[in-house]
Amino acid sequence: MRLSFRIKHHFFSAFREIFVHHHGSLEFRAKIFALIIAANEKPKVENFILVKELASKIYEKDIDRANLLLLTTKELVDKVKKHNGLDLDLLINTIQKELKIVPRYAKKIDIETLKSFLDLSEDEDTLSYQKNILEFLQKLQDETLQDTNPTIKE
């Protein structure tokens, strides 16, 4: 990444809410990616390469925003791994709270895309844990979308 972007990232990290357009949406996506990656005891660099590819597809016309999604995801995973005020349970609670406040974020949970992270897991326990997280996210997404559109009742 360019040096200018790194400097900008450090500045924006401190003042993200003020300077980044729709920062909440970007941070929500980063939390979803971080949740599935941090479930792995030893996440591989390939996880972040995949985030970069997915971010480039999501923000195809804004490479800086794609890079910011990658860096925000890395930041969250590092916080979880270093036990720096964040763990997986807190991350899950935060995601749930944000969906209650902004239900449209449920549309940003793309289970099929998230399944591609499963291919990077080598440990059976980790794989099982990640699958449970995906099931949880699918259920959370379904419930949130159901609550926001009551005409879809089964």
Side-chain angles (χ1 to χ4, degrees):
M1 280 180 266
R2 299 183 324 254
L3 178 62
S4 65
F5 180 79
R6 288 182 184 167
I7 293 169
K8 201 169 20 171
H9 168 68
H10 290 294
F11 182 75
F12 281 141
S13 289
F15 301 101
R16 195 173 296 152
E17 290 183 38
I18 298 170
F19 294 111
V20 179
H21 183 64
H22 294 294
H23 79 283
S25 171
L26 184 140
E27 285 191 18
F28 182 80
R29 285 182 185 192
K31 288 173 186 170
I32 296 296
F33 288 142
L35 179 62
I36 196 78
I37 294 169
N40 191 336
E41 286 282 323
K42 298 173 187 161
K44 298 190 231 172
V45 71
E46 287 86 355
N47 285 287
F48 298 105
I49 292 169
L50 181 56
V51 170
K52 175 67 174 169
E53 291 170 7
L54 297 172
S56 295
K57 288 179 185 173
I58 293 168
Y59 302 117
E60 59 188 44
K61 295 183 181 180
D62 191 347
I63 194 68
D64 281 345
R65 194 165 177 85
N67 285 333
L68 191 57
L69 177 57
L70 171 64
L71 292 173
T72 304
T73 302
K74 280 184 180 180
E75 208 174 87
L76 290 167
V77 171
D78 285 345
K79 279 186 174 183
V80 171
K81 292 300 172 193
K82 293 177 182 173
H83 306 288
N84 188 9
L86 188 63
D87 61 22
L88 290 176
D89 291 334
L90 185 56
L91 195 53
I92 289 168
N93 288 337
T94 303
I95 290 168
Q96 288 176 307
K97 287 178 185 175
E98 286 185 25
L99 282 174
K100 286 182 182 171
I101 295 168
V102 189
R104 73 177 180 276
Y105 285 175
K107 295 177 184 174
K108 297 184 184 306
I109 301 172
D110 184 350
I111 300 300
E112 290 306 312
T113 298
L114 293 172
K115 284 181 181 177
S116 54
F117 287 97
L118 300 179
D119 296 334
L120 302 173
S121 297
E122 295 173 355
D123 178 71
E124 284 301 315
D125 291 336
T126 299
L127 185 60
S128 177
Y129 189 33
Q130 288 176 317
K131 285 179 181 178
N132 287 338
I133 288 172
L134 289 179
E135 287 176 25
F136 166 76
L137 288 172
Q138 181 67 65
K139 182 179 176 193
L140 186 61
Q141 180 185 44
D142 292 345
E143 288 173 358
T144 303
L145 293 174
Q146 189 77 24
D147 290 345
T148 59
N149 193 357
T151 59
I152 305 177
K153 299 283 183 203
E154 294 180 56

